[in-house]
Amino acid sequence: MAKLDLLLGLQWGDEGKGKVVDALTPKYDMVCRFQGGPNAGHTIEFDGKKFVLHTIPSGAFNDKCINVIGNGVIIDAKILKDEIDGLAAAGIDLTQRLMISNKAHLILPTHRVLDAANEKALGKMKIGSTLKGIGPTYTDKTARRGLRIGDIMMSDFKIRYENIKAKHYQQIRDLDFDINEVRLDGMSFADYEKVWFDAVDFLKTFRFVESEYLINKYLDEGKSVLAEGAQGSMLDVDFGSYPFVTSSSVIAAGACSGLGVAPGRIGKVYGIFKAYCTRVGTGPFPTELFDTTGEMLRANGHEFGATTGRPRRTGWLDIPALKYACMLSGVTDLMMMKSDVMDELQEIKVCMGYEYKGQVIDYLPYDACTETLKPVYTTIKGWNCKIGDSDRKTEVRIPEKLEEYIRFIEEKVGVPIKFVSYSPDRNDNILR
Ligand code: GDP
Ligand code: IMO
Ligand code: MG
């Protein structure tokens, strides 16, 4: 009997999950997404080509790998169809390799309008949502009135759709929001709704499954399965900087409920983090930089959102936050991404704790959103040289000072760093 391995983002998302899942995929028979939706943007680069996936698991590029969109995921039919079409145009056919849980909830066009209306009503307190309808869809799921993928095969689907749409219209009016204010993927609501229904029909050609049985059967047969997280622990609905979070459980526990796999069946938990930090959207970010170093990290790391194109906020590595994320998910192996982005730094700061209400603490308090957390830093020497060779001919070694940075993090967090990534390309990694 095999165990389910997990791969989770440990910061505020965009750690490089897509790259690592793709790099690990040859070892796995199946890759599953378990939460979130098209708010995710997972980038994969190889042979000079670049793909960004939003709903499809990043195992898509290996033709032996089955890809499952689990029950915990929420799906916008139009966005998923665009992704499938994009991959098909690049010669990647998913018709036999993509399975969708019957129980995954649908993001309706009005959910996206509601997302925009909610954000507008929040004004300065807005979450900085990706405006993909995530919050309103999970709200309807927990309020027990959502529509699921399996429902699209039912004869009363259109009637149920219209009922929910009417309720949403009322909510949109209550928020004083004009539906014509919003463009959905560049379209008016009416045009988007038509395209969305075409996409719903298109999805019927794919396999809708009871994915919890399928995944557990794979594990029973000794096959290898990897669960791919979206977002990052600091955006978790319970443990992130609430209310500036996403609406799903992004930690290890979310994989159990989002796939129907029992906790005892979890194997390795790979935790991914950047050698520094980024955040996109609003909310506290204690180590945020507003200086030329922050700009350098943004420029060298191409820190612009893969889903929305927004510039990402940048800052130093935050050890208490990283340790917290490892605790929440029982991370067994750490993977450090984007170390190359810091190649030119003479000195690196690392946050070891926070000044909070006149004390120094090393944990994340409940009121991190309303109280100031002033980082307490320690400074360590940078490696100040390029990692790896552009001709990829010589064996890549970890520079001595980078090794010291790695050991420092391992010691403070208490989890080994087994994988160091130094470029967007799937092959540019060092195993430790
Ligand atoms: P995800 O959401 O966690 O999959 O991450 P994103 O794809 O949103 O953002 C990560 C970005 O960093 C992408 O553009 C990747 O191609 C890129 N990337 C991943 N690993 C590395 C790395 O080690 N070095 C550099 N320079 N870029 C990387
Ligand atoms: P991946 O999987 C980074 C952020 C948004 C916003 C907050 C809530 O690519 O790492 P939502 O649309 O979920 O209601 O937005 O969460 N956010 C992400 N930030 N990476 C992501 O996904 C994100 N998904 C959501 O910017 O602050
Ligand atoms: Mg991303």
Side-chain angles (χ1 to χ4, degrees):
M1 198 175 71
K3 295 229 170 190
L4 172 77
D5 293 341
L6 308 183
L7 185 136
L8 308 169
L10 301 182
Q11 295 163 320
W12 284 274
D14 303 330
E15 296 88 353
K17 299 175 289 292
K19 163 173 169 164
V20 178
V21 172
D22 171 64
L24 294 180
T25 292
K27 282 183 17 187
Y28 288 95
D29 297 307
M30 178 185 272
V31 177
C32 315
R33 275 277 306 269
F34 60 88
Q35 47 66 235
N39 48 349
H42 295 180
T43 313
I44 292 113
E45 292 195 34
F46 54 91
D47 302 340
K49 287 178 281 190
K50 175 173 168 175
F51 298 89
V52 180
L53 299 179
H54 302 287
T55 322
I56 295 173
S58 303
F61 302 94
N62 182 311
D63 56 17
K64 295 195 180 57
C65 184
I66 299 293
N67 293 274
V68 176
I69 300 177
N71 56 279
V73 178
I74 55 177
I75 297 173
D76 183 316
K78 192 264 176 190
I79 296 177
L80 177 54
K81 177 177 184 297
D82 285 352
E83 278 184 77
I84 294 170
D85 287 347
L87 290 180
I92 297 153
D93 176 16
L94 284 174
T95 32
Q96 299 307 315
R97 292 197 293 118
L98 181 67
M99 320 252 162
I100 308 173
S101 167
N102 268 313
K103 299 186 177 75
H105 277 246
L106 278 172
I107 302 174
L108 310 183
T110 39
H111 282 131
R112 290 188 65 174
V113 180
L114 270 172
D115 211 354
N118 287 334
E119 284 284 76
K120 190 171 179 207
L122 282 168
K124 278 203 182 113
M125 287 299 287
K126 72 173 183 180
I127 312 292
S129 147
T130 59
L131 300 178
K132 303 294 176 193
I134 304 298
T137 306
Y138 277 119
T139 301
D140 277 350
K141 173 178 175 174
T142 42
R144 299 164 296 186
R145 56 178 175 236
L147 286 176
R148 299 182 292 171
I149 277 285
D151 296 333
I152 70 181
M153 305 304 274
M154 303 295 165
S155 55
D156 63 350
F157 176 67
K158 194 76 204 291
I159 299 168
R160 292 177 62 194
Y161 172 87
E162 290 298 337
N163 280 340
I164 296 180
K165 181 175 152 184
K167 289 197 182 80
H168 288 166
Y169 265 48
Q170 187 56 51
Q171 290 172 27
I172 292 162
R173 275 195 295 277
D174 290 346
L175 287 161
D176 269 337
F177 191 79
D178 177 4
I179 202 159
N180 298 312
E181 245 184 74
V182 72
R183 309 283 296 170
L184 301 175
D185 293 2
M187 286 175 252
S188 69
F189 178 82
D191 288 346
Y192 190 83
E193 194 183 37
K194 273 196 213 93
V195 175
W196 186 86
F197 269 104
D198 290 345
V200 164
D201 279 337
F202 168 81
L203 287 188
K204 291 177 184 163
T205 57
F206 283 80
R207 284 172 61 188
F208 300 166
V209 293
E210 313 302 342
S211 54
E212 60 278 30
Y213 287 106
L214 180 70
I215 296 163
N216 280 288
K217 181 166 168 283
Y218 258 60
L219 295 173
D220 288 344
E221 290 169 353
K223 291 185 178 147
S224 51
V225 185
L226 177 68
E228 171 181 358
Q231 290 78 56
S233 308
M234 303 313 291
L235 291 170
D236 182 81
V237 67
D238 283 279
F239 302 106
S241 42
Y242 194 88
F244 300 100
V245 294
T246 191
S247 300
S248 64
S249 176
V250 313
I251 60 170
C256 295
S257 58
L259 295 175
V261 173
R265 301 200 87 167
I266 304 294
K268 282 200 177 301
V269 182
Y270 299 110
I272 307 214
F273 69 103
K274 284 181 195 174
Y276 49 98
C277 283
T278 63
R279 174 166 200 167
V280 62
T282 332
F285 180 4
T287 64
E288 183 166 10
L289 288 166
F290 299 96
D291 58 5
T292 48
T293 306
E295 281 161 27
M296 180 282 286
L297 293 175
R298 187 174 310 109
N300 286 9
H302 304 288
E303 296 296 358
F304 295 89
T307 297
T308 58
R310 293 177 292 176
R312 295 177 184 144
R313 301 154 67 193
T314 54
W316 297 116
L317 187 66
D318 185 331
I319 294 283
L322 192 58
K323 210 170 162 179
Y324 184 52
C326 289
M327 175 187 84
L328 295 171
S329 291
V331 172
T332 58
D333 299 38
L334 282 171
M335 298 173 147
M336 187 165 92
M337 312 300 288
K338 302 192 96 158
S339 21
D340 54 298
V341 174
M342 296 172 101
D343 279 355
E344 65 189 56
L345 289 173
Q346 304 276 354
E347 283 188 336
I348 293 172
K349 286 190 181 169
V350 185
C351 170
M352 306 302 293
Y354 318 103
E355 273 178 36
Y356 164 79
K357 296 182 180 169
Q359 277 184 312
V360 174
I361 57 166
D362 64 357
Y363 65 93
L364 283 156
Y366 139 86
D367 51 3
C369 276
T370 45
E371 293 290 331
T372 311
L373 294 182
K374 188 165 171 265
V376 178
Y377 288 116
T378 200
T379 303
I380 59 176
K381 284 243 169 303
W383 46 98
N384 201 222
C385 63
K386 191 170 169 354
I387 311 164
D389 217 337
S390 45
D391 66 8
R392 297 209 172 95
K393 286 202 177 111
T394 35
E395 192 198 336
V396 182
R397 302 179 73 101
I398 298 181
E400 198 183 309
K401 291 280 178 250
L402 173 56
E403 183 64 31
E404 281 173 25
Y405 186 51
I406 292 171
R407 290 217 192 104
F408 178 84
I409 300 166
E410 289 182 323
E411 190 202 319
K412 298 299 167 202
V413 177
V415 183
I417 298 178
K418 300 248 177 107
F419 181 105
V420 179
S421 163
Y422 61 94
S423 109
D425 191 276
R426 62 152 69 130
N427 297 308
D428 291 339
N429 313 303
I430 306 167
L431 302 180
R432 287 176 81 243

